[in-house]
Amino acid sequence: MSGFVVIEGIDGCGKSTVAKTVADRLGPRAVLTREPTDSWIGRAVRKGDSEEVSPYLDALLFMADRANHTPEIANHLESGKIVVCDRYYHSTVAYQTAYLRRKSQGDNFDWLLDANIRISIHPDVTFLLIVDPEEALGRIGDRGELSRFEREDFLKEVQGNYLRLAERDPTIVQVDSTRPPREIVEEILQALNERKF
Ligand code: TYD
């Protein structure tokens, strides 16, 4: 069966390792993809990040990348693949809501969610990896310079926004990610199996 699986969570939650291992374990019927993408728009997103563009442009760049990526995902689904995506629209709702608030732009959660739903395919299931932000930062601490998002209070707020999304959407499954990646992968594969993937 084809299907669309998204792995989400704050920086340092282990999602990239988990997404890759889940896709590997599903074998040739799975396609692994991610956002920001490696397309020219994905590169623009990273450039915007390093140049600290305005917070609305920041949000719109992530969304432009998604609007470009979504038809690719649709093509894979049409050809019967299981698409495993490392970050999708939930990232924009969680991070850019927090970032815009930091930049004194009020609460942008509702319009970001509404606009992103319009440019996205609704995932069959989203696994939200939950970890204490302090622990997450400890994990990424030795990767070098931290990004503008990698601060404990910011990641706390981002995780709070993810939980706001989870309250509204029963296809978002919370996964305790304080455990080793191996166990997280098994839990996700089991959940996919139960959903007949
Ligand atoms: P990340 O998954 O860490 O990608 P990479 O390993 O290629 O750097 O994502 C980069 C950062 O971008 C991360 O801090 C989360 C942030 N981000 C957003 O703020 N909004 C989004 O919509 C997406 C997809 C990512």
Side-chain angles (χ1 to χ4, degrees):
M1 175 187 132
S2 80
F4 185 24
V5 180
V6 171
I7 315 283
E8 281 282 1
I10 60 172
D11 296 76
C13 71
K15 94 202 137 32
S16 298
T17 311
V18 166
K20 185 178 181 319
T21 316
V22 166
D24 286 349
R25 290 276 300 273
L26 290 169
R29 62 201 178 114
V31 176
L32 176 65
T33 185
R34 66 169 185 161
E35 291 187 4
T37 68
D38 295 320
S39 72
W40 65 273
I41 308 181
R43 288 196 294 280
V45 170
R46 293 195 172 88
K47 191 156 191 275
D49 187 14
S50 60
E51 290 182 5
E52 293 217 18
V53 294
S54 85
Y56 284 109
L57 178 54
D58 183 56
L60 293 169
L61 282 171
F62 281 112
M63 290 165 64
D65 191 30
R66 182 159 307 120
N68 189 51
H69 188 205
T70 294
E72 264 179 51
I73 295 171
N75 285 341
H76 287 307
L77 293 173
E78 267 162 37
S79 64
K81 297 284 186 187
I82 299 175
V83 177
V84 179
C85 192
D86 175 355
R87 296 198 182 282
Y88 197 46
Y89 75 79
H90 322 76
S91 282
T92 301
V93 181
Y95 279 79
Q96 275 58 58
T97 296
Y99 192 55
L100 283 159
R101 205 183 67 74
R102 287 294 152 108
K103 297 287 178 183
S104 309
Q105 299 302 318
D107 187 359
N108 285 270
F109 183 95
D110 288 330
W111 84 262
L112 282 172
L113 177 57
D114 186 45
N116 273 282
I117 282 174
R118 286 168 194 268
I119 59 167
S120 302
I121 296 169
H122 196 270
D124 294 297
V125 57
T126 298
F127 294 100
L128 173 58
L129 274 49
I130 302 288
V131 66
D132 181 45
E134 193 184 352
E135 188 182 328
L137 276 177
R139 291 182 190 174
I140 52 183
D142 32 83
R143 278 190 215 158
E145 207 183 312
L146 297 183
S147 80
R148 64 192 160 129
F149 295 145
E150 291 168 348
R151 290 163 213 287
E152 191 179 334
D153 55 345
F154 186 80
L155 290 183
K156 247 187 205 150
E157 196 170 327
V158 172
Q159 189 152 269
N161 290 332
Y162 273 127
L163 293 171
R164 254 171 108 178
L165 281 171
E167 270 168 27
R168 300 177 181 208
D169 183 348
T171 66
I172 299 177
V173 176
Q174 295 179 47
V175 179
D176 168 11
S177 299
T178 51
R179 299 165 306 152
R182 189 173 28 85
E183 283 181 31
I184 301 167
V185 167
E186 291 310 325
E187 183 173 324
I188 290 176
L189 288 171
Q190 167 82 27
L192 290 177
N193 196 26
E194 281 162 14
R195 288 169 175 74
K196 310 276 180 251
F197 275 83

